[in-house]
Structure formats: structure tokens, C-alpha cells
Amino acid sequence: MTGEQRRYQFRYMTEASFTPAVSSHFFKLRAIPCLNSCQRVESRQLSVLPSGCILNESTDGLGNLLQFGEYHSPHDYFRMTSEGIVCCEKYRVIDASPNDIYLFPSKLTRCDLPAQEWAQEVTKQGADTIGKATLLMHAIQQRLTYQRYATNNATSAMEVFERGLGVCQDYAHLMTALCRSMGIRARYVNGLVLGEGETHAWVEVHDGAAWLGFDPTYDKIIDWGYIKIAHGRDVSDCPSNRGQFFARTNIEEQLTIICEMKEL
Amino acid sequence: MKELLAARDSVNRWMERYGVRFGVYKNGVFNEQIFPFDAIPRQIPAKEWEMLEKGLIQRVKALNMFLYDIYHEKKIVADGVIPKEFTYESKGYMPECEGITPALNVYAHIAGIDLVQAKDGKWLILEDNLRIPSGASYPMIARKVTRKACPQTFRDNLIADNRNYGMLLKQMMDDVNGGRGINCILTPGRYNSAFFEHSYLAEKTDAILAFPGDLIVEDNKLYYVGLYQEKIRVGAIYRRVSDEYMDPLAFEPSSLLGVPNLMEAYKAGNVGVINAFGNGVADDKGIYYFVPKMVKYYLNEEPILENAPTYLPFFKEDYEYILNNIEKLVIKDVAEAGGYGVMFGRDMTPERLEEVKQLIIKEPRRWIAQEVIDFIDLDIIDETGNPSPRKCDLRAFVITGKETKVWKSGLTRFSRNPNSFVVNSSQGGGFKDTWVMEKD
């Protein structure tokens, strides 16, 4: 990294509480900022509670850092805390040989003909990849209304396109799907953003040399203030937290997520 | 041969006692049926088998090299031999498998290759089954029973002994295991269509038959939990459960058949998985078209065994041919298996043909078309006790551990009805023993 740099401190915590207690709990997390040409991790720490959880680390098929493990004794909560300091340059992830899988639809990012035609129509003034992606992002901002609880983790880009409602994940899925339908490499990203209390999702579009960040929820080309954690074809490739536990009865589960990020 | 036919009744009684069954779901109801056995064996002359063996080994080697390539450098795509669409858009392609190198670089340890013999004697490949091909137990048990019923037949004829399938499997499992622990066969349970086979193969390979819930990953290693809760390290798992159900944290989150974090243990090289994850990308009906090209590309050899003539609507030339000749072609949905999603142009009404054409126009990548092959009939003894011809195919089993070997036998399936070309067991056909002859 050689250009202007900004440093951010972050803390990302999720806690699940269970009533009654559960046992044999297995989990897989993607919660640590990734390393790339515009993002360096100065320090990081991931801790899980209850203490005594077995924790291992690996990388998934798409290059994201993973932490996984298990806890066998009965427990009524599970807490993951990821914290540290990240040093960023202006958002631009250099990648001379991007993976072709980001050219093709995945389960949640299929695209039908009407949507494809709509995307062609709204981007016809675009001179190049980035021009088109920018026009598409503006059009998505016009088309969608931000609304919580209207969608879930399994909502596809086409449902979002038709119903016009959703949250950051849905905005990102739709933009990813439409870019790919026009032959533009695009991928789904999750991470943290300055000034938000929860995790965020956005899009990366490849311009031939690097991945540029687009945030369709805020209709903004990303420059500063975003910490990237993981990427994939859609959210199901890179969920931040997945778990399975065993219990003898129905479990009531409560989830709390806290994200804090500030510029140093 | 006469004795064999005469002993038909006792053979069938034995088969029933062994419980040679096949489960079928129809309209949501599970039924276990006897898998009908026909006493007239298919005979393959030694010379012909020699050619088949070479061709099958060559094909499976190329397929394994393709799987390695697709999850690593992807040279075959970069070199333009296979279009990108046919790999990354395939349902069987799993990005989770990117960069994982399985033990011995082998992905398809057990390949079930389906062939037919055309009327001119030429063998053609119909499909490659590289995920969890089933069916080897039926000829194994048929041979055992027929040997018992008429020992003389097997003394008087030079028939290759096929009782080594268990040993072939075990050797391969040991190769993959590398001494890390025990071998285990994972079955989804007794309501699976091939449960009989799972338990039979466990017995023949000296492996533990594990049910969902018997296996657990702890600190990134796989264990079998025994009767007294003791944990025994597993070095190789021959799983008869589809990829997407094998690890709820890596694949289908709602699966209860799988083992959480198995994918991580596999990735770390702590357990061998037979067959490897992600093989679906190589036995996709669309990829099938490219297998002869893979043989040339990876091995620099001419393919010994040919495909049935196949067209991909994805290519413009083929697209037009298919739309103009649809009434004489077989149309297959690339995502389906087991004889489902197969349509014969000649059996369809003009309205249905038009519908299918529209489906192809809408999603060219989803379909392949093949010429109807006039493959040979073999006689079976029908319900009236008389010989009657049926269409037959052959599933050959190719086992790859440190070496690639073809089992000197196979599953010969026949169609239920005299005029049907569909031989899949899930569609109600039967099977025969397959004799590989030691001499021509």
C-alpha cells in the first residue's frame, strides 16, 4: 500500500442466547477482516465464549478466512467477538485474474428476461463497465425501497426486483445479478461500514484490473469507511455465522449483533 | 447354461432370502420392491472386455484429471476446450471445493460408467456416474446365488471370477485412508433406495456401517461414536449421501443426515471422502459431451470409447439441427438423473414437441439431445417362461485408489417392457449377471 491511508478500529460481536440450554454446538464464522491490496489488518482478535470452545481456522474455496469449531457441554449462550485495527487505502482491490464464477448466476442471483432488459435499458448511456455499473446502481436506488423484515436470507434477486423491497443484502443481490446478466463480473461482499450498528452488504464490480466497491443501499461508489470481511456469488457463499446444535426440545433463540467502527 | 435356467426357481428363492431389494418413491410413498433378476447372463468375450477395460480406465483417468483441474488451475477452460458456462453454471460445481486437493488427487474413486452396445457391436458411453453410483451389490449377490444353485456352470465355463469387488473397494479405501483410522460406509438409513447395498458392501469391505448421528467431527477430525460412546478415529468415509447433505455448515443448512464441520476436516486432509465432494461438475449431462475432448486434452490419446452422438443446443449448429430434427431425437434435462427428464421425440404429440422446442429455445444450456441408438436386445425369460428380447445397458464399475481398475463384471439392466429404451432400476426394470469371459 502506497497511497493515502486511513485507520479504523472495529468491534463486531454476535451473541445468541438459548432457552433452555443446548449442547453439541458446531459453528462456522466469517468475521475477520480480509487482507487485500487496499486493506491491511494491523491487529485482530477473535474470541468465543463460553470459554473452552475448540476453535480452528481455515480458508474457504473463495479465499475467505473461516473460523470454526465446537462446544459440547450444555450452554445457554454463545458469543463471538471480533476486534482489531484495519488500515485502508481508497477502496480498490487489485486482481489481475478474477475468477470466472462471478460471471454466472448463482442460486440467489438468477436473472430473468424482463430484469435483464430493464438493466440494459437503464445502462444504455454507460460508456464502460464502471459507467454502466454506476447507472445501474442509481436505477436500483430508484426502484427499491429500504424496508426491514420484508425479505429473508433465502430471498432471490428476482423476488427483490419484482417486489421492490429489501435491505442491504437484497440491494446487493439485485445489483450483482443484473451486472452478471450483462456480462460484468460482480460479487457479493459483506463487512462493516462506518456509522452502522450492524454488518453491511455491498457489491464489487471488476473493471478489468481491479474490483471496485459499489454500495447500492446508499447509492454510492465506495471510497473510504468500509471494512471488507468476505465475498461470494451471493450471501449463501459467505454467511458470517452458521451453527448447528442439538437439543431435546424446541429452543428459543435470541440474537444480538453489535458492530462498532471508528476512524483513528 | 441349461442348468442355470433350470435352477431359476431356487435362484429366485435365494435372492428373496437375501432381500435383494430396491426402494422406489412414487407419489410420496416409499415402496420396497424386489429387483427382478433374469437368469440368462450377458456374456462379454475376452477380447471385447480388454478393449472396454482400456477405454474405461482411460476415461476415468481423464475425468479425475478434469476434476482436479476445474478446482485448481482451470486450464481446460482457459484453453477454450470447454466453455465456461458448462462448468461454473453447472449445478454440480461447488465453489467450496476450490483449491482442495483430495488424497492421491483422486475425486471419482468409484465411477459407474453406463454403456450400451449398438447393433453393429460397437460400445458407446451413455453417461458417467461419479457421485454415488449404486448397483454393484446386485450382480455380486446374483453371482453368489447362481454359483450356489449351479456350481457346474461355473466349473465348465471360463467365467472371470467377480467375487473380488469387496477387495477392490477395500484396497481403494485403505489407499485413501492412509492409516489415519478406520473405514466407514455412511448410509442415510433404511429408507434409502440402496440401503441393502450399503449394508452388504460394509460387510464385504470390513468397514463400519454408520448411520447419521454415529459420526462426529471433533477438533477437526472425524470419529465414529461406538455403542459405549467410545470415539474411534475415521480415516476414510465411503458416504452414500449426496454432497449437499453432508455438512450443514458448508452446504444445505437444514440437513440432518450430515456431519457438521466434516468439510473442514476433509479440507485439512484429516479424512478421505469417497467419492470426493464436487464431482457433480464432471458427470453433468452437459459436460458429458466434452469427455472425449478431455481424454485428448489431458492424456494426449485418442479416446478408445466413444460417446453416443450428442448435440448441445448451446452451440448454434447443434441448436438448429435439434430444432429441425426433434422428432427423432432423445431430449435430456442436464440436471436430472435416474431416467427422469428423458423425452423421446418420436413418442411426443406435435403440441408437446412444440412445448419442448420452446423449453430449448428458452434455456439452451439446460438440455442435450442425442440420436436414438438402436442398441442390442438380450433375451430374458418373461412371465410366461419364454425368451423375450429386452433393451439392455451395462454399468461398469471403475475403482481408483493408487491404481485404476475395472471390476470384471458389471450391472446389466434391462427395460421392463419389450418396447422401452429406459433401463433405470428406478423405472421398474430388472437385471442380469454379467459374465466376462476368460477366453474368446
Side-chain angles (χ1 to χ4, degrees):
Chain A
M1 301 207 306
T2 49
E4 186 195 343
Q5 297 180 5
R6 296 187 190 175
R7 295 168 73 237
Y8 303 98
Q9 185 171 27
F10 73 94
R11 180 166 161 269
Y12 166 30
M13 196 274 293
T14 52
E15 179 170 317
S17 58
F18 312 108
T19 335
V22 302
S23 60
S24 291
H25 184 159
F26 297 85
F27 55 86
K28 186 177 241 178
L29 311 166
R30 287 177 183 82
I32 295 174
C34 67
L35 205 70
N36 61 39
S37 67
C38 65
Q39 180 170 297
R40 194 178 71 225
V41 181
E42 279 186 17
S43 71
R44 59 138 158 140
Q45 194 194 352
L46 186 132
S47 56
V48 286
L49 287 172
S51 58
C53 278
I54 294 173
L55 197 61
N56 281 294
E57 193 165 302
S58 78
T59 311
D60 73 13
L62 299 175
N64 301 309
L65 268 183
L66 278 181
Q67 303 212 302
F68 63 97
E70 74 256 10
Y71 188 69
H72 292 285
S73 309
H75 53 295
D76 58 9
Y77 80 105
F78 175 78
R79 183 192 299 157
M80 174 289 297
T81 311
S82 169
E83 51 198 331
I85 293 169
V86 172
C87 183
C88 294
E89 266 187 11
K90 196 171 161 194
Y91 201 105
R92 185 168 185 271
V93 183
I94 296 168
D95 182 358
S97 51
N99 198 323
D100 284 334
I101 71 169
Y102 300 117
L103 278 170
F104 298 104
S106 60
K107 208 170 155 194
L108 296 176
T109 56
R110 294 200 188 288
C111 192
D112 61 20
L113 203 56
Q116 207 173 325
E117 283 167 358
W118 181 81
Q120 300 278 2
E121 181 59 35
V122 300
T123 58
K124 54 173 199 258
Q125 307 294 332
D128 54 9
T129 304
I130 294 313
K132 282 184 191 300
T134 310
L135 288 172
L136 184 61
M137 177 171 71
H138 296 331
I140 288 173
Q141 180 64 224
Q142 293 298 312
R143 187 176 179 101
L144 303 189
T145 306
Y146 191 92
Q147 188 176 319
R148 280 176 199 275
Y149 313 116
T151 53
N152 60 40
N153 255 344
T155 304
S156 71
M158 285 306 95
E159 290 171 73
V160 175
F161 181 73
E162 277 150 31
R163 300 203 338 237
L165 300 172
V167 294
C168 57
Q169 175 183 307
D170 305 304
Y171 280 74
H173 277 160
L174 181 57
M175 179 158 170
T176 312
L178 296 174
C179 281
R180 290 184 195 149
S181 81
M182 296 190 292
I184 299 172
R185 276 189 183 77
R187 64 189 182 190
Y188 177 95
V189 179
N190 69 39
L192 307 173
V193 61
L194 210 54
E196 267 210 25
E198 49 192 22
T199 52
H200 191 55
W202 61 90
V203 178
E204 283 180 354
V205 172
H206 199 268
D207 71 353
W211 295 97
L212 298 187
F214 288 80
D215 185 345
T217 313
Y218 292 114
D219 196 13
K220 152 180 189 191
I221 294 179
I222 296 172
D223 45 15
W224 304 100
Y226 287 70
I227 297 180
K228 176 174 171 180
I229 293 177
H231 58 235
R233 294 169 306 170
D234 59 44
V235 67
S236 58
D237 279 346
C238 53
S240 37
N241 187 350
R242 235 169 165 186
Q244 192 180 61
F245 48 76
F246 296 90
R248 290 183 193 282
T249 101
N250 280 343
I251 296 294
E252 209 175 298
E253 188 179 348
Q254 262 193 336
L255 200 66
T256 315
I257 299 176
I258 296 171
C259 295
E260 293 163 352
M261 179 173 161
K262 67 173 183 202
E263 195 172 336
L264 295 175
Chain B
M1 185 79 91
K2 265 200 206 100
E3 314 86 68
L4 197 57
L5 293 183
R8 228 165 62 229
D9 286 342
S10 64
V11 166
N12 280 327
R13 267 199 307 280
W14 278 107
M15 300 279 273
E16 218 162 307
R17 270 187 70 172
Y18 272 104
V20 181
R21 284 160 201 281
F22 198 90
V24 178
Y25 280 97
K26 202 165 192 183
N27 306 326
V29 181
F30 179 79
N31 277 306
E32 227 174 29
Q33 315 176 339
I34 293 286
F35 191 23
F37 172 68
D38 179 71
I40 310 175
R42 160 183 250 154
Q43 299 184 38
I44 303 177
K47 269 266 157 52
E48 214 166 298
W49 181 259
E50 204 182 305
M51 180 277 299
L52 283 176
E53 196 169 36
K54 278 198 192 122
L56 288 163
I57 290 174
Q58 179 193 53
R59 189 167 177 107
V60 169
K61 276 190 174 159
L63 284 163
N64 271 312
M65 291 170 86
F66 168 71
L67 279 160
Y68 178 86
D69 189 20
I70 233 37
Y71 289 119
H72 294 81
E73 296 89 353
K74 306 166 177 37
K75 286 190 212 129
I76 198 163
V77 179
D79 288 342
V81 179
I82 299 180
K84 296 181 185 111
E85 288 78 0
F86 284 85
T87 52
Y88 309 125
E89 242 185 308
S90 157
K91 274 191 185 153
Y93 167 75
M94 299 186 122
E96 296 87 346
C97 299
E98 284 286 340
I100 299 179
T101 306
L104 313 167
N105 278 359
V106 176
Y107 288 77
H109 309 88
I110 303 158
I113 311 290
D114 292 347
L115 306 105
V116 291
Q117 190 170 24
K119 287 231 162 101
D120 61 2
K122 190 174 180 179
W123 288 89
L124 298 168
I125 307 269
L126 271 195
E127 67 185 48
D128 307 291
N129 296 280
L130 308 178
R131 283 167 290 174
I132 37 177
S134 65
S137 63
Y138 302 110
M140 285 167 87
I141 203 144
R143 183 68 63 87
K144 179 174 173 160
V145 168
T146 46
R147 285 184 77 98
K148 200 178 308 204
C150 354
Q152 207 172 342
T153 307
F154 294 86
R155 261 201 308 272
D156 299 348
N157 293 291
L158 286 164
I159 304 158
D161 193 345
N162 74 352
R163 286 173 294 177
N164 64 340
Y165 188 72
M167 284 312 295
L168 284 175
L169 270 189
K170 184 179 173 2
Q171 182 59 56
M172 176 273 289
M173 285 161 84
D174 288 344
D175 288 350
V176 173
N177 189 316
R180 288 173 292 198
I182 58 165
N183 294 327
C184 201
I185 296 184
L186 174 68
T187 176
R190 82 167 247 35
Y191 289 110
N192 183 272
S193 66
F195 179 68
F196 160 76
E197 173 158 305
H198 307 158
S199 55
Y200 190 69
L201 291 179
E203 184 190 314
K204 291 292 163 197
T205 55
D206 222 355
I208 292 218
L209 182 67
F211 290 81
D214 289 344
L215 297 172
I216 186 170
V217 170
E218 271 189 23
D219 201 14
N220 222 8
K221 295 179 186 72
L222 182 66
Y223 295 92
Y224 173 79
V225 182
L227 200 51
Y228 304 102
Q229 299 301 309
E230 75 280 21
K231 291 183 182 121
I232 308 163
R233 174 88 190 266
V234 177
I237 173 175
Y238 173 16
R239 44 82 187 213
R240 297 290 299 246
V241 171
S242 310
D243 287 8
E244 57 271 35
Y245 299 112
M246 282 303 294
D247 179 349
L249 300 190
F251 312 119
E252 176 54 47
S254 64
S255 172
L256 297 175
L257 296 176
V259 187
N261 283 336
L262 175 64
M263 185 65 179
E264 295 301 326
Y266 165 63
K267 199 192 292 172
N270 291 339
V271 62
V273 176
I274 298 163
N275 288 345
F277 294 129
N279 284 6
V281 66
D283 71 2
D284 181 297
K285 288 188 174 71
I287 279 291
Y288 159 87
Y289 177 90
F290 299 97
V291 181
K293 294 181 199 288
M294 286 176 201
V295 171
K296 278 186 209 155
Y297 182 79
Y298 293 115
L299 302 170
N300 199 21
E301 293 171 11
E302 282 305 311
I304 298 167
L305 289 166
E306 286 175 31
N307 278 357
T310 304
Y311 309 94
L312 293 183
F314 177 81
F315 295 120
K316 195 167 184 306
E317 210 172 281
D318 287 9
Y319 178 83
E320 271 151 28
Y321 178 83
I322 295 166
L323 293 183
N324 292 328
N325 295 278
I326 191 159
E327 64 287 342
K328 64 167 189 144
L329 299 171
V330 195
I331 313 294
K332 295 182 178 175
D333 185 337
V334 296
E336 297 277 359
Y340 298 96
V342 175
M343 299 178 282
F344 287 83
R346 59 177 183 208
D347 299 338
M348 288 189 269
T349 61
E351 296 80 51
R352 182 68 188 138
L353 278 176
E354 195 46 46
E355 276 172 44
V356 174
K357 273 192 194 175
Q358 290 308 319
L359 287 173
I360 295 171
I361 292 167
K362 200 170 159 227
E363 282 183 280
R365 162 73 185 88
R366 193 177 144 195
W367 307 94
I368 63 166
Q370 288 177 321
E371 300 287 353
V372 176
I373 309 158
D374 195 9
F375 53 104
I376 56 162
D377 294 298
L378 295 177
D379 274 344
I380 67 158
I381 304 291
D382 67 12
E383 307 84 54
T384 63
N386 294 306
S388 166
R390 289 290 186 283
K391 294 293 171 208
C392 285
D393 78 344
L394 171 69
R395 172 167 293 182
F397 291 88
V398 186
I399 309 297
T400 307
K402 283 181 182 149
E403 285 173 78
T404 300
K405 292 178 179 169
V406 186
W407 182 37
K408 282 199 173 180
S409 186
L411 174 65
T412 295
R413 296 179 296 184
F414 58 84
S415 55
R416 182 166 58 170
N417 304 313
N419 48 9
S420 168
F421 277 67
V422 179
V423 296
N424 299 71
S425 9
S426 38
Q427 306 287 325
F431 78 107
K432 288 170 167 293
D433 195 358
T434 305
W435 290 0
V436 174
M437 308 309 289
E438 300 278 32
K439 248 190 177 166
D440 281 318

